[in-house]
Amino acid sequence: MDDTDTVLGWVAVAPVSARAVYAGVVEHSVYVDPAARGRGVGRALLHQVIASTEAAGIWTIQSGVFPENTASLALHATCGFRVVGVRERIGRHAAHGNRWRDVVFIERRSPHL
Ligand SMILES: CC(C)(COP(=O)(O)OP(=O)(O)OC[C@H]1O[C@@H](n2cnc3c(N)ncnc32)[C@H](O)[C@@H]1OP(=O)(O)O)[C@@H](O)C(=O)NCCC(=O)NCCS
């Protein structure tokens, strides 16, 4: 939020599995209002979710990013995420005529846990 109580963006995580062996693995999403982009909001949200999940014992954060989201890929790279690979035709985009979409799979393994 800014000083006018306007929500500028959000970040959320969810567990990837109910299995105990993956108890420290979450998937995240981060989104910043287009009008608020390029001002450090996305970086602040990512830093916050990395710190809070590490404090909660989470060892890996993962996500999927569309290849054209170069800002997102650059931001995540500077926050310690690596590209695991490209998942081919993993998504189907209803808003774009049910087009099959490749997704770049990224993850950040905590260096502290
Ligand atoms: C990705 C997103 C969260 C970035 O938010 P933001 O508030 O604009 O990002 P910041 O201002 O904190 O910028 C952080 C870094 O992102 C990168 N970046 C931001 N905008 C960029 C652009 N237009 N082109 C290339 N890199 C860009 C830069 O590395 C930047 O660091 P720098 O300022 O030191 O150069 C935002 O663009 C967004 O919501 N995109 C749509 C949703 C999305 O792709 N979510 C990710 C899927 S999980």
Side-chain angles (χ1 to χ4, degrees):
M1 279 196 212
D2 64 9
D3 53 11
T4 64
D5 282 349
T6 304
V7 175
L8 304 178
W10 55 265
V11 62
V13 298
V16 300
S17 170
R19 294 178 61 188
V21 70
Y22 299 123
V25 185
V26 295
E27 179 170 32
H28 86 295
S29 296
V30 57
Y31 183 85
V32 173
D33 186 302
R37 289 181 189 170
R39 291 161 33 189
V41 176
R43 185 181 298 283
L45 287 169
L46 260 191
H47 282 169
Q48 184 59 42
V49 81
I50 289 167
S52 62
T53 52
E54 282 186 342
I58 300 297
W59 56 79
T60 291
I61 306 172
Q62 68 185 42
S63 194
V65 181
F66 288 131
E68 67 269 23
N69 286 348
T70 51
S72 180
L73 291 169
L75 169 60
H76 283 87
T78 63
C79 289
F81 285 77
R82 73 181 181 99
V83 172
V84 178
V86 176
R87 308 184 77 187
E88 296 180 359
R89 294 160 58 82
I90 183 77
R92 194 165 61 182
H93 221 158
H96 295 274
N98 278 337
R99 184 158 64 103
W100 291 107
R101 300 301 313 274
D102 293 353
V103 168
V104 182
F105 190 71
I106 59 173
E107 71 176 13
R108 181 185 187 279
R109 177 63 172 85
S110 169
H112 306 300
L113 298 171

